[in-house]
Amino acid sequence: MTMPSWKKYGVTAALFFFCFQAQAAAPDPALTARLAAFDGWVASRMAMERMPGMTIGFTRGGVEWVQGYGYADLENQVPATAVSSYRLASVTKPMTAVAILQLVEQGKVDLDAPVQRYVPYFPVKPFPVTVRLLLGHLAGIDAYRDRKTEQHFKEYKNTRQSIAVFEHFDLIAEPGTRYRYTSYGYNLLGAVIESASGESYGQYMQRHVWGPLGMTATMMDDPAAVIAHRVRGYGLVGKELKNSEFVDVSSRFSAGGTRSAVPDMLAFGQGIHDGKVLSPASLALMQEPMVTRAGRLSDYGMGWETYPTGGRYVISHSGQQPETATYLFSFPSRKLTIAVASNLERVNTAAFAERLFEVVTGEAWELKPYIAQANAQLYGQLAQGLFEEGRAQLEKTGQPYTVDPAVTRQAFEQINRQALQQDDARAASLFIADARHPAGGRVLLTAGSSMAARLRQAGIDLDKYSSSGPLAFVRDYIMLSQAAPAGKVPRFDRSFEQAMLKLAASWDRTAAVAWPAQPGAVAQLSKQLETAFLNQLAYPDFMAEINALAQASSGRGDSTEALAAGRLAVALYPLSDRAQALHGILLMSAGDHVASIAALRLALARDPQGAASATALNNAAYRLKASGAVAAGTALLQAAIQLHPRDANLHDTLGSFYVEQHLPAQAVQAYRLALRLDPGYPGADGARAVIARLDNAH
């Protein structure tokens, strides 16, 4: 562990810079003490994740703190520091979006022009592909098709060669109709920047984005260049750390071809807050989630993920690539930026950023109470949605979504009619899921932001709900509305009010129960938590912590303790799809296929789009393979196919697992079945290439 880098800025007649050394007093002693405790948490988490090195930091209110942990180079025992240089991966995308919007402001780019106006060599597609839709991943551009080739380029590719990789791919959907995250779309945006500016992508970014923001460590990644403080990248193969495969990322130039240090990531976030590189109108545009033609939010704006978390207004972007994993969080209303970069592939860097947020702010990252009664779970969903959408809106704009009282009352009436008086819980749940989207009238945003505004008018500090959560938020509004003169304040259905008051009272009794800093044996932990939550209607959801506990146990080879963690999950949270799925996956790893499939079926019944969906199980199988449990991952895929027999991607993944296990006949069979199910699924071209290669080999 290396010493932290502290910066303190003060403004008088000029800008002064003070650097606090280890022996000097930090700007905030209380924060310094919390950061010292954070060091211990990081060390424990890094050991669990087998992480070689990481750098993390924040900037807020003129104070910047950056710290390196572990090693930038394991072989030579070079420590990771505040200035270690990591591949940024997809954290490049919001920077590219800034450049596009700058060119829009200069009149050099039209957001609604076909991309061929700027990149004439890109083939015309059956539908127009516009710059605006490319920024939001709504342009119908596909992602990697032949991953074995496209994700493993060893040679340098210029812009034209990078576009040639995918230019003849068919669109996967009519632009505007489907969100599909893709680096190829952002490569096209890089070509637009070059055409409109007359400069190379790297030159433009240096002159107009990185340079003006003081990002002196940010550059295009170049394997031949001598780059100060360059880290060495690693991956886990089973339980063993290996040097990362060399991949030249020039083919991802404007989507993920850059390298930087955490202080520069923070400077970018701060520059966004301060409006140094874009006008207020452009900043608002890039932070607004895009909407499909069917009226569904994509939760992605122009270069930023935009989903509210913990009732907060937050924009963010993650990055995953050979040699690196990164995350950048920006809280514009709070002038807070948090950045993290690791030299281990596929690690969950968000967990470190979330913990640092808690240390810096004193707030819980996210509170999602578990509702222990099946007939009240719907109320928990509704409370969570109202809180997330409503409070985030107040934090973002300071105002409710609408000031029209008729529109607000209509939103409450829809909730009362369609969510709270439904005999069909499934239909009510679907209504709540749809109610956050424009197609559903933004009902949750309308009602939730009205609730937040009225609570604030009543003198309640909305920040308190970061520590008390959605049940308290809705409870307080109900009490306020009950005390108001009849007809003055919109009210919920009376049965909902009564149920919510009971849930909130139970939550008040359990919310203080904390996950232990150093959990001991699962048996003892089970006794403590089951006793604390006995006969309660609402209590903290510790599924993330239980999952981490199971992962740590598996990582050290203790399958008995891992399975005990799975049993704890279903004992505490029997109505949770995540709990049932975790238990099912752990049972599969333990070789109990019958019990595993039963648990996964139960998880799927709890939530068809949740932890036992085809996508979730596919990702879980990859995680098992990455941990060295290839056989368990293969068995999980086979179980997933039983649950989702017509999902082509599951068959495709199973084929790739068979290839790695040198089972060519089974691999060909799996790939052919995938192609029969869907000849045009995203991995179809790659599947055909593998089939041809395996057939030729025999």
Side-chain angles (χ1 to χ4, degrees):
M1 183 173 65
T2 57
M3 291 299 177
S5 166
W6 277 100
K7 296 179 186 176
K8 174 79 173 181
Y9 302 93
V11 180
T12 55
L15 183 68
F16 294 92
F17 175 86
F18 301 88
C19 182
F20 287 82
Q21 302 299 327
Q23 68 273 16
D28 180 346
L31 177 57
T32 303
R34 294 199 301 271
L35 287 166
F38 177 66
D39 287 347
W41 183 89
V42 169
S44 175
R45 182 81 185 207
M46 287 182 68
M48 182 185 78
E49 301 274 9
R50 303 288 308 281
M51 290 174 64
M54 179 188 76
T55 303
I56 189 169
F58 76 89
T59 178
R60 183 182 69 164
V63 173
E64 179 179 302
W65 174 91
V66 183
Q67 173 102 10
Y69 296 89
Y71 292 101
D73 181 338
L74 273 176
E75 291 178 348
N76 297 296
Q77 299 285 284
V78 178
T81 70
V83 295
S84 292
S85 176
Y86 300 83
R87 282 181 167 177
L88 278 183
S90 289
V91 173
T92 305
K93 288 181 173 71
M95 300 177 188
T96 295
V98 165
I100 288 288
L101 288 169
Q102 285 181 337
L103 293 167
V104 171
E105 291 180 357
Q106 297 165 26
K108 295 180 179 179
V109 169
D110 179 349
L111 284 174
D112 296 310
V115 71
Q116 288 83 6
R117 179 182 296 182
Y118 312 102
V119 191
Y121 55 79
F122 186 71
V124 174
K125 303 298 180 181
F127 305 97
V129 173
T130 68
V131 175
R132 184 189 302 272
L133 294 177
L134 286 168
L135 282 164
H137 301 290
L138 290 173
I141 302 295
D142 204 356
Y144 304 113
R145 290 192 172 181
D146 183 358
R147 292 177 178 268
K148 288 188 176 297
T149 300
E150 296 166 48
Q151 290 189 318
H152 302 275
F153 291 128
K154 309 298 183 190
E155 71 284 353
Y156 171 80
K157 289 188 183 294
N158 61 28
T159 299
R160 183 67 190 90
Q161 292 166 332
S162 299
I163 302 302
V165 172
F166 65 93
E167 63 184 10
H168 294 298
F169 288 2
D170 292 335
L171 297 180
I172 60 167
E174 182 179 348
T177 64
R178 177 182 169 188
Y179 176 83
R180 168 67 160 162
Y181 181 84
T182 168
S183 288
Y184 289 151
Y186 266 72
N187 276 358
L188 269 176
L189 291 171
V192 170
I193 291 167
E194 293 186 341
S195 173
S197 69
E199 300 178 78
S200 72
Y201 173 79
Q203 289 171 336
Y204 181 90
M205 298 301 290
Q206 191 61 58
R207 280 167 42 86
H208 301 282
V209 181
W210 302 333
L213 293 178
M215 298 168 62
T216 57
T218 308
M219 64 197 76
M220 302 307 296
D221 190 59
D222 182 351
V226 176
I227 297 176
H229 311 295
R230 185 201 294 261
V231 304
R232 191 180 188 113
Y234 301 91
L236 276 170
V237 180
K239 295 180 174 60
E240 188 176 357
L241 279 170
K242 297 285 189 180
N243 288 315
S244 292
E245 172 195 3
F246 168 69
V247 175
D248 190 308
V249 294
S250 57
S251 65
R252 316 173 191 189
F253 67 113
S254 52
T258 58
R259 180 176 289 275
S260 188
V262 164
D264 275 23
M265 296 169 70
L266 296 174
F268 178 72
Q270 190 65 40
I272 292 293
H273 296 164
D274 295 342
K276 291 181 179 179
V277 287
L278 285 177
S279 69
S282 293
L283 286 172
L285 187 63
M286 78 182 304
Q287 295 171 27
E288 190 66 24
M290 288 197 182
V291 181
T292 67
R293 197 176 302 166
R296 307 288 294 184
L297 291 170
S298 67
D299 295 324
Y300 196 99
M302 296 182 176
W304 292 103
E305 299 160 354
T306 58
Y307 192 82
T309 301
R312 298 182 193 90
Y313 167 41
V314 56
I315 54 177
S316 63
H317 215 293
S318 61
Q320 292 281 348
Q321 199 176 78
E323 301 184 19
T324 195
T326 56
Y327 227 120
L328 177 63
F329 285 95
S330 172
F331 302 83
S333 300
R334 298 163 177 249
K335 304 295 184 184
L336 169 65
T337 298
I338 295 175
V340 57
S342 171
N343 57 351
L344 178 64
E345 301 167 10
R346 299 185 180 279
V347 71
N348 178 19
T349 49
F352 294 89
E354 292 164 8
R355 184 60 173 242
L356 182 57
F357 174 89
E358 294 179 335
V359 168
V360 172
T361 66
E363 301 175 5
W365 172 255
E366 186 174 24
L367 290 173
K368 284 190 174 181
Y370 173 76
I371 308 302
Q373 286 186 340
N375 60 1
Q377 288 228 311
L378 188 67
Y379 297 158
Q381 291 179 34
L382 179 58
Q384 191 77 38
L386 289 165
F387 172 66
E388 293 283 1
E389 297 287 335
R391 182 171 173 265
Q393 170 70 15
L394 264 287
E395 185 166 294
K396 179 178 180 180
T397 69
Q399 301 295 327
Y401 182 61
T402 178
V403 294
D404 186 335
V407 174
T408 301
R409 288 188 181 280
Q410 184 182 28
F412 276 84
E413 289 168 3
Q414 283 183 269
I415 291 170
N416 287 334
R417 184 175 64 254
Q418 294 180 257
L420 301 177
Q421 295 185 3
Q422 286 262 13
D423 292 332
D424 185 346
R426 176 68 178 157
S429 181
L430 289 173
F431 166 77
I432 293 172
D434 289 341
R436 67 178 299 265
H437 297 280
R442 301 304 303 264
V443 170
L444 294 180
L445 177 59
T446 301
S449 63
S450 171
M451 294 164 64
R454 290 184 183 277
L455 288 167
R456 187 182 61 184
Q457 290 166 7
I460 294 177
D461 183 357
L462 297 179
D463 285 348
K464 82 167 196 171
Y465 297 113
S466 295
S467 301
S468 56
L471 297 181
F473 173 80
V474 177
R475 183 264 315 279
D476 289 354
Y477 177 81
I478 288 171
M479 295 180 68
L480 182 152
S481 67
Q482 289 177 342
K488 289 292 185 180
V489 177
R491 289 187 61 173
F492 290 108
D493 177 82
R494 292 186 186 279
S495 62
F496 171 70
E497 291 182 346
Q498 294 170 359
M500 187 55 60
L501 293 177
K502 290 180 180 179
L503 290 175
S506 179
W507 175 250
D508 289 342
R509 292 189 291 270
T510 62
V513 177
W515 184 263
Q518 296 293 333
V522 174
Q524 181 62 32
L525 187 62
S526 298
K527 183 178 180 180
Q528 294 171 354
L529 295 179
E530 290 186 59
T531 300
F533 300 154
L534 183 65
N535 297 326
Q536 294 298 326
L537 300 176
Y539 46 84
D541 185 337
F542 291 136
M543 274 304 304
E545 290 82 357
I546 292 174
N547 189 68
L549 183 62
Q551 180 183 340
S553 299
S554 295
R556 61 175 182 265
D558 191 344
S559 58
T560 300
E561 196 75 350
L563 194 54
R567 288 194 293 269
L568 172 60
V570 295
L572 292 178
Y573 310 113
L575 300 176
S576 166
D577 65 296
R578 292 182 300 151
Q580 298 293 347
L582 174 64
H583 192 212
I585 291 166
L586 291 168
L587 285 166
M588 186 64 72
S589 298
D592 192 341
H593 294 198
V594 174
S596 170
I597 292 174
L600 294 174
R601 285 192 189 280
L602 191 53
L604 189 63
R606 296 275 186 261
D607 184 355
Q609 305 303 317
S613 67
T615 298
L617 293 178
N618 190 72
N619 293 339
Y622 272 113
R623 288 194 295 271
L624 284 171
K625 181 168 73 73
S627 70
V630 181
T634 303
L636 181 61
L637 283 171
Q638 292 166 338
I641 288 169
Q642 288 187 48
L643 300 177
H644 308 279
R646 300 199 60 78
D647 189 278
N649 189 58
L650 285 173
H651 292 278
D652 180 277
T653 303
L654 182 60
S656 70
F657 276 43
Y658 283 141
V659 168
E660 293 196 24
Q661 295 173 77
H662 307 291
L663 299 170
Q666 292 93 323
V668 168
Q669 182 181 14
Y671 281 126
R672 284 180 174 158
L673 184 50
L675 291 168
R676 282 201 298 273
L677 289 168
D678 183 1
Y681 77 96
D685 290 345
R688 294 185 184 97
V690 175
I691 290 171
R693 184 172 70 246
L694 293 176
D695 284 344
N696 290 335
H698 293 81

